[in-house]
Amino acid sequence: MRHFKEILILVVCIIALGIAGHKLIGIWLMYQEGVTEYEELKEYVNETSEDDGDENSDAATTIDFEELQKINPDIVAWIRIEGLGIDYPVVQGEDNEHYLHYTFRGEANVEGSIFLDYRNKADFSDSKIILYGHNMKNGSMFGSLKKYQNENVFQENQIITIYLPGNREWKFKVQECRNVKVNDSCYELEDDRAGEVEFGDKELLLSTCSSFAEQRLVVFGKLQR
């Protein structure tokens, strides 16, 4: 009887391990699908080096927003932080929930998307702009923002580039990185009137999950002229 119980316990453990392994494989495959999707989207990013055309021209990056909007009309921008590997389209939904669970192409995925707060104007004309993204363990999406807590990384990667439709390119300089409460006042938005926001007053917040459930990790940036 005792021998039978030992065998039964072993079988149950093997089944439990099998179920756990299956779930882990499923999560890994979902991670890979998300990474692959966003890598494929980079074909809509056009890089022009200094060696192309006029030798006196500067290197430039253009985003084919027209083609990207055919895939998803919710796209409003593209964000890049070169040293951290952040290079993604930015979308805006009707709330701050949908794109936590869906990719740019509308696929259900734990990676979700980088998205603009639904309260912000889609043309980025507000004085405060808030972008959200998951803190993925594999470093994708906003998973690398926590690196800003390292002083060397902070000093070496201070420029956040936002590409907007109409060949507009904005550069924000990182001011600080810190944990805030979920309901912190930094998430409050004012009613701005277009055209009255000075360059030095425009602020960018990149928000992601922190190690604590009741807190968020936020990177603050100011628009540079």
Side-chain angles (χ1 to χ4, degrees), residues 148-161:
Y148 273 123
Q149 295 173 315
N150 179 290
E151 183 62 25
N152 290 333
V153 174
F154 183 90
Q155 295 298 332
E156 294 173 3
N157 301 277
Q158 292 196 330
I159 299 300
I160 302 169
T161 305

Side-chain angles (χ1 to χ4, degrees), residues 38-46 64 78 105:
Y38 285 109
E39 283 296 324
E40 291 174 349
L41 289 175
K42 290 180 182 178
E43 69 177 271
Y44 299 100
V45 179
N46 303 309
D64 194 342
W78 190 286
R105 293 183 183 274

Side-chain angles (χ1 to χ4, degrees), residues 43 45 51 62 97 111 121 132 136 159 164 184 201:
E43 69 177 271
V45 179
D51 295 331
T62 57
E97 182 69 24
E111 282 205 341
K121 299 182 185 71
Y132 303 91
M136 302 301 292
I159 299 300
L164 299 167
D184 191 88
D201 295 330

Side-chain angles (χ1 to χ4, degrees), residues 12-213:
V12 171
C13 289
I14 292 173
I15 292 174
L17 286 172
I19 294 173
H22 179 74
K23 288 183 177 180
L24 287 173
I25 291 173
I27 293 173
W28 182 82
L29 289 174
M30 192 173 290
Y31 270 42
Q32 290 303 113
E33 289 174 359
V35 170
T36 300
E37 175 181 322
Y38 285 109
E39 283 296 324
E40 291 174 349
L41 289 175
K42 290 180 182 178
E43 69 177 271
Y44 299 100
V45 179
N46 303 309
E47 308 285 356
T48 303
S49 69
E50 294 179 358
D51 295 331
D52 294 340
D54 185 356
E55 61 181 14
N56 295 319
S57 63
D58 296 327
T61 299
T62 57
I63 310 297
D64 194 342
F65 284 103
E66 184 176 348
E67 289 301 315
L68 286 170
Q69 285 173 346
K70 291 179 182 178
I71 301 173
N72 186 347
D74 286 344
I75 186 171
V76 292
W78 190 286
I79 183 173
R80 174 179 288 178
I81 309 178
E82 292 188 8
L84 299 187
I86 293 176
D87 198 14
Y88 298 105
V90 178
V91 290
Q92 184 180 38
E94 296 181 354
D95 54 43
N96 288 340
E97 182 69 24
H98 177 78
Y99 279 112
L100 283 171
H101 314 289
Y102 289 88
T103 65
F104 182 83
R105 293 183 183 274
E107 300 292 334
N109 193 295
V110 292
E111 282 205 341
S113 302
I114 304 299
F115 62 94
L116 175 68
D117 193 300
Y118 79 98
R119 300 170 299 168
N120 275 129
K121 299 182 185 71
D123 63 359
F124 280 52
S125 60
D126 295 302
S127 62
K128 181 188 293 182
I129 301 158
I130 307 176
L131 302 184
Y132 303 91
H134 279 304
N135 184 359
M136 302 301 292
K137 292 182 178 179
N138 64 354
S140 62
M141 309 314 289
F142 277 172
S144 59
L145 287 184
K146 54 182 170 286
K147 293 181 179 180
Y148 273 123
Q149 295 173 315
N150 179 290
E151 183 62 25
N152 290 333
V153 174
F154 183 90
Q155 295 298 332
E156 294 173 3
N157 301 277
Q158 292 196 330
I159 299 300
I160 302 169
T161 305
I162 300 291
Y163 300 96
L164 299 167
N167 290 325
R168 289 181 295 159
E169 179 180 324
W170 289 355
K171 293 192 181 294
F172 292 82
K173 185 175 181 180
V174 177
Q175 304 297 306
E176 63 174 324
C177 172
R178 58 184 169 89
N179 286 320
V180 303
K181 293 182 179 179
V182 174
N183 60 350
D184 191 88
S185 61
C186 73
Y187 291 107
E188 296 176 1
L189 293 177
E190 299 178 358
D191 291 329
D192 297 318
R193 282 178 290 179
E196 295 187 359
V197 181
E198 297 293 334
F199 268 81
D201 295 330
K202 190 178 287 290
E203 186 178 22
L204 176 68
L205 275 64
L206 307 183
S207 177
T208 191
C209 295
S210 72
S211 302
F212 306 97

